[in-house]
Amino acid sequence: MEWREKVALEKRAAFRDQTYWGKPVPGFGPLDASLLIVGLAPAAHGANRTGRMFTGDPSGDFLFRALYQVGLASQPTSVSADDGLELRGVRMAAPVRCAPPDNKPTPVERDTCSGYLREEMGLMRRLRSVLVLGGFGWKAFLPLLGPERPKFGHGVEVEMGGLRVFGCYHVSPHNTYTGKLTQQMLQDVLKKAMG
């Protein structure tokens, strides 16, 4: 918590003239969505700056381009909370709500925030599918559904807690710049999760 606030005060030079959100980041998208995308945590100079999940950073650029291509977003970019972007049939949230140091949340942060994700899911009355981005998100999310612990992998699909749960490599630059996760791979998993 102190770190996310410190980052909001000591801004990156490129965003020096902007006011950072600097608070826990809520979910984004309609509560009547049938698909939930579970990420990792807000990026220090992305969602921690803009106040909206996956907004204003390279991970979001990659994700929103795919969401737009499959018809789940009104535009292919997400740069600020007031840029007019709307999600269609999908909501996104993170198991950790505050930007962690070095973008590496701890198990304590994960466990502290888990109740917020559980509560958010309870509000999603039409939820049928969940797309979990990355192994950390997978480990954080599955305990909300039950004691089973299926192994994470890209393209893995399991039925748990009455939901179809899909695994996908995280949309971080580490994965997208190296080609471990391509636009086509992400779009393919999104299409399965939408079905």
Side-chain angles (χ1 to χ4, degrees):
M1 177 169 40
E2 292 172 11
W3 189 84
R4 70 148 200 264
E5 294 166 358
K6 180 181 177 188
V7 168
L9 293 173
E10 297 176 357
K11 309 169 185 183
R12 181 176 278 171
F15 307 120
R16 188 171 314 160
D17 62 335
Q18 296 182 22
T19 301
Y20 274 55
W21 173 260
K23 299 181 274 192
V25 178
F28 170 56
L31 282 171
D32 65 351
S34 61
L35 172 60
L36 175 65
I37 296 176
V38 175
L40 175 66
H45 302 284
N48 189 53
R49 175 174 56 87
T50 64
R52 189 169 74 188
M53 290 297 304
F54 286 107
T55 298
D57 64 43
S59 296
D61 294 343
F62 192 87
L63 177 59
F64 284 108
R65 186 167 54 239
L67 291 170
Y68 176 75
Q69 289 298 319
V70 300
L72 294 173
S74 63
Q75 60 193 44
T77 58
S78 179
V79 295
S80 68
D82 61 357
D83 62 9
L85 172 70
E86 293 181 13
L87 295 180
R88 301 174 180 140
V90 63
R91 184 171 177 84
M92 49 184 59
V96 174
R97 301 295 169 116
C98 296
D102 299 321
N103 200 30
K104 293 180 180 174
T106 65
V108 171
E109 290 172 306
R110 174 196 66 206
D111 296 344
T112 300
C113 289
S114 67
Y116 297 111
L117 184 55
R118 183 188 313 275
E119 185 177 326
E120 192 164 358
M121 288 173 51
L123 297 172
M124 297 180 69
R125 303 289 183 207
R126 295 183 178 177
L127 182 61
R128 291 191 330 260
S129 301
V130 180
L131 175 61
V132 183
L133 300 173
F136 184 93
W138 188 262
K139 287 178 185 173
F141 177 74
L142 292 187
L144 300 179
L145 301 182
E148 295 177 54
R149 298 294 186 275
K151 187 175 178 180
F152 172 77
H154 180 81
V156 167
E157 178 182 353
V158 296
E159 294 270 342
M160 288 185 70
L163 298 170
R164 294 171 56 219
V165 182
F166 298 83
C168 178
Y169 293 138
H170 197 277
V171 293
S172 70
H174 174 75
N175 290 334
T176 60
Y177 293 171
T178 61
K180 183 175 183 178
L181 179 65
T182 66
Q183 271 292 310
Q184 192 59 57
M185 290 168 68
L186 177 56
Q187 289 176 36
D188 288 347
V189 176
L190 281 167
K191 288 174 187 173
K192 285 182 187 174
M194 291 165 59

